[in-house]
Amino acid sequence: MLKVKMYQNPDVEKLTKLVEESKGTVLLCSADQSLHNLKSDQSAFRLMKEESEKNHQVEFQLTDTGDYLRFIYFVMGDCA
């Protein structure tokens, strides 16, 4: 699996669209190292927001290599 880590609070609306358009599975890796599927578990988005506000970072694991670049572009665009 490929990992992407964000060090700022993501735009949840844009991230939701990115997750929905992803070809593979998008997992949120929480602070306790548990994994939450963002494509099938809407409560995972709430957890992601809590994690980003508390820890000032969010980590994702991606199963599709094609999604990796899209997430990197999202992270870089969200930083600008």
Side-chain angles (χ1 to χ4, degrees):
M1 277 198 213
L2 301 163
K3 292 185 179 184
V4 176
K5 191 177 279 192
M6 296 181 67
Y7 293 96
Q8 77 276 350
N9 295 338
D11 180 325
V12 177
E13 186 176 312
K14 289 180 183 177
L15 180 60
T16 301
K17 186 174 192 272
L18 181 64
V19 168
E20 288 172 354
E21 294 173 351
S22 296
K23 295 177 182 169
T25 303
V26 180
L27 301 171
L28 169 69
C29 184
S30 63
D32 66 0
Q33 300 304 309
S34 60
L35 298 174
H36 308 273
N37 189 334
L38 289 170
K39 288 186 94 169
S40 64
D41 182 5
Q42 291 301 317
S43 65
F45 279 96
R46 185 174 14 86
L47 177 61
M48 179 200 63
K49 186 175 179 185
E50 292 169 6
E51 295 266 331
S52 67
E53 290 172 356
K54 180 180 175 185
N55 302 319
H56 305 290
Q57 66 182 22
V58 181
E59 184 175 328
F60 304 100
Q61 291 187 8
L62 310 171
T63 60
D64 188 278
T65 55
D67 292 333
Y68 183 71
L69 282 177
R70 294 176 62 237
F71 269 79
I72 294 298
Y73 289 138
F74 172 78
V75 170
M76 297 307 293
D78 212 31
C79 291

